[in-house]
Amino acid sequence: MKKNIDTTMFFKTERVSKILFKLAPPIMLAQLIQALYNIVDSLFIGKFSNAGLTALSIIYPLQLLMIALAAGTGVGINTIMAAKLGEGNKGKAYEFAGVGTPLAVILWFLFALTCYLFMPSYARMSTNSEEVIKDVIAYGRIVCVFSFGLFLESIWTKVLQAFGDMKTPMLAQIAGAIVNILIDPALIFGMFGLPKMGIKGAAIATVIGQITAALIVAKKGFRKAPDISLFAPHIARIFRLGLPNIIMQSAYTFYIFGLNMILATFSDQAVTALGLYYKWQTFFFIPLGAMQTCIVPVISFNYAARNIGRCRKTLFESIYFGLALMAVGTLCFLLIPAQMLSAFTTDQLVISIGKTGFMFIGVSFLPMVTSLIFPVFFQAVGASLKSSLLTVIRTVVLFVPLGFIFSRFGLTWFWLTYPVTEFITTIAGFIYFHQFMKKDYVQKQKPPESEEKDIPALKPSSPGVIITIAREHGSSGRQIGKLVAQKLGIPFYYKDMIALAAHESGLDREFISNIHRNAPSYLYTLYMSSHVVRFAMRAQNRIIRKIADSGSCVIVGRAADHVLKDYEGVIRVFVHAPEDVRIKRVMESYGDTLKEAKKNIRHSDKSRATYYKHISGLTWGNVRNYELTVNSALGIEPTADAIVQMAKRQISAGKQ
């Protein structure tokens, strides 16, 4: 608990600059190490062959796609494991970790087979040079077919991170990068008695580095596979959580591929120049990317705590910090583009094309700060639709179409794509931010923390029975639960449960209460797996278990039946009723019209079902998940009596 309080205060009160300097360096190091694989290959291949350097630029989108697939799947596994470990359910966490290894092998095999078969076609789509095509096929087939190291390392790394081990994955990545750097020149140029392999040597060095990293995390990351019957539902759930991440990362793959295709109509050197931009971009984007990662938990916590002022302050301080960082990049790209290009190539045409491109792109670095930070901000506050839309606007709607339009006026005009894209995306980001600041939740004043009189206390009682009640909207499940508690003389928890969770975690009551109601119809999984929602769900689940540990009680809603699935003496009840009965009750209780009642019933039931499916993987309302399902059309009193009778039988059985 001490750790939780310290973390809460850290995000709530610590200076944003101090948080960044404390959290960012390890992330920057990890990202730099990951980037070194491609950069080192380019440095050495550029000294060996200009055609090889072009080939690396053409292969780059495929490598991004491979990383997106592997890392996105790992994110799905990591998210589920973190949730299960947060519930104290290590067994389930191990099950998903065990599914990870065979899933990584399956994904590798499918990706490797596809790339091997279609690599020649992909190469010919990207260039007309037979020399470059040959190098694309040689390098691409090796790094894709032998990419099992990358797939396994990505999955095992996420497994270790779910258990809180950040050190081993970092050491593995450092070791892999060092191996790659040491082997690269030896295999490319034929040093130390090794054969001169050229671009094939660079590819072999890359996969050896990846395999090295995988072997280091294998011992702790590998988990025994569960029963094969669990594979299908577990994999489906992994992809429900990981797919949005895969899709968003893949968007970058397709826009770079699209830009490569446009530049290929001019020359291979133009494609090479763009590839060299992405090599140099890495060094300037690493601190920016690390900062984006660090501000997410700060913004998420304070949004869930309804400290909107601190959210806004964190956003704008990160923008100012990012502008200062990227101003350095802008100066480099404007003042020394030829020197930057010469570090990779001696081809004067590449340098000439690149100088012009670098100067245009350098201008885009400042608006790029906001175009990249706004999606992170919206992701942090759970506005997954806005976050995804900004990414799609930038990578799909603008980059390739604008690149095509500008390219019609000549190669020099093509480079205008970058500043124009970043400027338009920034404007869209500010518009979305203005809309966000008008939301009722943002505008409403948070009640003062000093109002301790509204904070309930846990109500200890004798052990005996715990009753969880899930209910359809309009079935009177809450009233029935309260009546059951009165008849049994045990505590009843509904609103008090939310208040207790809010008080313990420092989060806002309204936010915790409306988790499932605020979820969008689209990108629901992305919203539910966001930092801000996970903060609230962990707080809520902790208090549900505390309530259960305090003795007999009745708990309504919040998927308490799943949260307490490992507890003994729990009676899981589902209350339902015919639609006409529920419509009548909703109209009487809330004053809804007939149309409003039908709409609210559908929306509420869908939200509850989707929420339950997300956290449990089970179907809400399925009779197999409950000890008792009861039709409340019988009336509130008779329905409560039916539940009480079952509870008394269980209490009597427990005393014998």
Side-chain angles (χ1 to χ4, degrees):
M1 187 63 190
K2 178 72 161 58
K3 183 179 179 182
N4 183 57
I5 293 173
D6 290 344
T7 302
T8 297
M9 296 308 295
F10 183 65
F11 290 149
K12 188 175 182 179
T13 61
E14 190 58 79
R15 292 197 313 273
V16 175
S17 58
K18 186 171 181 179
I19 293 173
L20 294 178
F21 284 118
K22 182 177 178 65
L23 300 181
I27 299 171
M28 290 169 62
L29 178 60
Q31 291 179 351
L32 176 61
I33 292 164
Q34 196 69 27
L36 282 175
Y37 282 104
N38 198 266
I39 292 172
V40 169
D41 279 354
S42 299
L43 282 169
F44 290 124
I45 286 297
K47 306 300 180 184
F48 182 84
S49 162
N50 289 326
L53 197 57
T54 302
L56 291 184
S57 297
I58 292 172
I59 287 294
Y60 185 55
L62 280 184
Q63 290 179 299
L64 288 179
L65 182 61
M66 179 167 54
I67 292 170
L69 184 58
T73 304
V75 167
I77 293 172
N78 176 275
T79 302
I80 298 171
M81 288 185 63
K84 296 303 176 186
L85 291 170
E87 296 171 7
N89 192 343
K90 286 188 177 181
K92 275 291 180 185
Y94 284 133
E95 281 183 12
F96 282 96
V99 168
T101 301
L103 180 56
V105 173
I106 293 169
L107 292 174
W108 158 73
F109 177 79
L110 294 174
F111 185 83
L113 180 63
T114 303
C115 288
Y116 182 85
L117 294 175
F118 291 98
M119 192 63 67
S121 300
Y122 174 77
R124 295 187 185 281
M125 287 169 59
S126 307
T127 180
N128 293 319
S129 168
E130 288 300 324
E131 185 181 4
V132 174
I133 290 170
K134 182 181 176 182
D135 283 346
V136 169
I137 295 171
Y139 185 90
R141 278 182 166 172
I142 291 172
V143 296
C144 293
V145 170
F146 295 95
S147 60
F148 56 85
L150 183 142
F151 278 93
L152 290 170
E153 185 268 333
S154 296
I155 299 298
W156 290 337
T157 287
K158 293 301 181 184
V159 169
L160 290 180
Q161 289 174 347
F163 287 113
D165 184 354
M166 304 294 179
K167 184 177 179 182
T168 303
M170 184 178 294
L171 292 175
Q173 290 177 347
I174 291 172
I178 291 173
V179 167
N180 183 38
I181 292 168
L182 293 176
I183 296 177
D184 231 1
L187 293 179
I188 293 171
F189 299 106
M191 301 165 60
F192 310 114
L194 295 170
K196 186 177 181 180
M197 302 178 71
I199 196 166
K200 288 184 179 180
I204 292 170
T206 295
V207 298
I208 289 176
Q210 293 169 350
I211 293 169
T212 300
L215 290 173
I216 292 173
V217 294
K219 184 177 180 181
K220 294 182 179 179
F222 175 79
R223 290 291 185 276
K224 183 180 177 182
D227 187 273
I228 196 167
S229 64
L230 297 173
F231 271 59
H234 281 22
I235 289 174
R237 193 164 179 207
I238 287 168
F239 279 118
R240 275 202 303 272
L241 290 170
L243 192 59
N245 189 280
I246 293 171
I247 292 172
M248 288 297 104
Q249 289 192 54
S250 297
Y252 295 93
T253 296
F254 293 114
Y255 97 73
I256 294 173
F257 173 70
L259 295 181
N260 278 347
M261 294 290 291
I262 294 169
L263 288 175
T265 63
F266 291 100
S267 66
D268 287 341
Q269 286 81 4
V271 175
T272 304
L274 180 65
L276 294 182
Y277 156 65
Y278 284 108
K279 304 298 183 293
W280 274 111
Q281 171 199 270
T282 303
F283 292 103
F284 299 102
F285 276 42
I286 282 173
L288 183 64
M291 180 190 68
Q292 290 173 312
T293 303
C294 293
I295 65 173
V296 167
V298 181
I299 294 172
S300 289
F301 173 81
N302 284 284
Y303 180 72
R306 195 142 58 178
N307 190 348
I308 306 302
R310 183 161 170 82
C311 291
R312 190 176 186 278
K313 182 179 180 183
T314 302
L315 170 66
F316 283 100
E317 283 194 21
S318 63
I319 288 175
Y320 300 147
F321 184 60
L323 289 172
L325 286 171
M326 297 307 285
V328 177
T330 298
L331 290 175
C332 290
F333 273 67
L334 290 176
L335 300 178
I336 55 170
Q339 292 87 332
M340 295 169 72
L341 288 156
S342 298
F344 288 92
T345 183
T346 57
D347 188 320
Q348 291 304 307
L349 183 55
V350 171
I351 293 173
S352 175
I353 294 171
K355 280 175 62 178
T356 303
F358 274 31
M359 294 177 73
F360 275 97
I361 292 173
V363 173
S364 74
F365 275 14
L366 296 182
M368 193 186 296
V369 172
T370 41
S371 75
L372 293 177
I373 285 181
F374 273 125
V376 173
F377 174 83
F378 290 122
Q379 181 188 25
V381 298
S384 49
L385 185 58
K386 283 185 170 62
S387 176
S388 300
L389 281 174
L390 285 175
T391 301
V392 169
I393 287 170
R394 181 173 181 264
T395 59
V396 179
V397 176
L398 293 177
F399 258 123
V400 176
L402 284 178
F404 177 78
I405 292 169
F406 286 132
S407 71
R408 299 302 90 190
F409 299 96
L411 179 57
T412 299
W413 284 90
F414 165 84
W415 302 108
L416 266 176
T417 302
Y418 282 82
V420 173
T421 292
E422 306 302 353
F423 184 71
I424 294 175
T425 308
T426 289
I427 292 175
F430 273 108
I431 292 172
Y432 284 160
F433 180 72
H434 183 67
Q435 292 173 349
F436 165 80
M437 293 301 292
K438 289 185 174 182
K439 286 177 58 177
D440 288 341
Y441 177 82
V442 173
Q443 292 284 324
K444 194 183 297 183
Q445 184 70 30
K446 181 181 178 179
E449 295 181 9
S450 58
E451 291 185 1
E452 294 292 326
K453 62 181 181 180
D454 291 335
I455 299 170
L458 283 172
K459 309 161 193 172
S461 62
S462 301
V465 65
I466 298 170
I467 301 170
T468 66
I469 297 180
R471 77 281 188 216
E472 291 181 330
H473 187 57
S475 65
S476 301
R478 179 167 56 87
Q479 295 95 319
I480 290 167
K482 189 171 185 179
L483 187 56
V484 168
Q486 291 173 354
K487 288 175 177 288
L488 291 173
I490 59 177
F492 170 74
Y493 291 94
Y494 177 61
K495 287 188 177 180
D496 284 1
M497 175 174 57
I498 304 301
L500 285 165
H503 176 60
E504 181 180 272
S505 63
L507 304 183
D508 183 72
R509 292 188 193 185
E510 183 180 333
F511 184 82
I512 296 178
S513 178
N514 293 332
I515 290 174
H516 65 285
R517 293 179 198 166
N518 290 336
S521 300
Y522 302 101
L523 301 177
Y524 182 90
T525 298
L526 195 60
Y527 168 80
M528 293 301 295
S529 60
S530 63
H531 275 76
V532 64
V533 174
R534 288 164 66 185
F535 268 132
M537 287 174 63
R538 283 197 294 268
Q540 176 183 274
N541 293 349
R542 279 198 306 270
I543 206 64
I544 288 173
R545 286 191 289 273
K546 274 194 171 186
I547 289 170
D549 291 336
S550 297
S552 298
C553 60
V554 175
I555 304 174
V556 173
R558 302 289 143 177
D561 58 296
H562 172 72
V563 177
L564 302 177
K565 63 184 180 303
D566 295 324
Y567 278 63
E568 295 182 359
V570 178
I571 298 177
R572 297 164 183 84
V573 179
F574 186 80
V575 179
H576 59 94
E579 187 177 42
D580 60 329
V581 173
R582 294 192 288 141
I583 289 172
K584 182 180 178 182
R585 287 177 179 171
V586 167
M587 292 174 67
E588 291 174 351
S589 299
Y590 303 108
D592 288 358
T593 62
L594 177 62
K595 184 178 179 180
E596 289 171 340
K598 288 181 176 180
K599 179 182 176 182
N600 289 334
I601 285 173
R602 283 195 300 269
H603 175 73
S604 183
D605 284 354
K606 182 180 178 181
S607 296
R608 291 172 183 178
T610 312
Y611 175 83
Y612 189 79
K613 181 76 172 180
H614 175 82
I615 70 167
S616 70
L618 303 174
T619 302
W620 181 73
N622 188 323
V623 294
R624 296 180 180 179
N625 301 332
Y626 310 94
E627 280 74 36
L628 176 64
T629 59
V630 58
N631 185 345
S632 66
L634 300 169
I636 293 177
E637 185 93 26
T639 304
D641 287 338
I643 299 171
V644 168
Q645 288 173 14
M646 186 173 186
K648 286 181 176 179
R649 286 197 298 270
Q650 179 161 307
I651 293 170
S652 298
K655 291 179 179 179
Q656 293 176 0

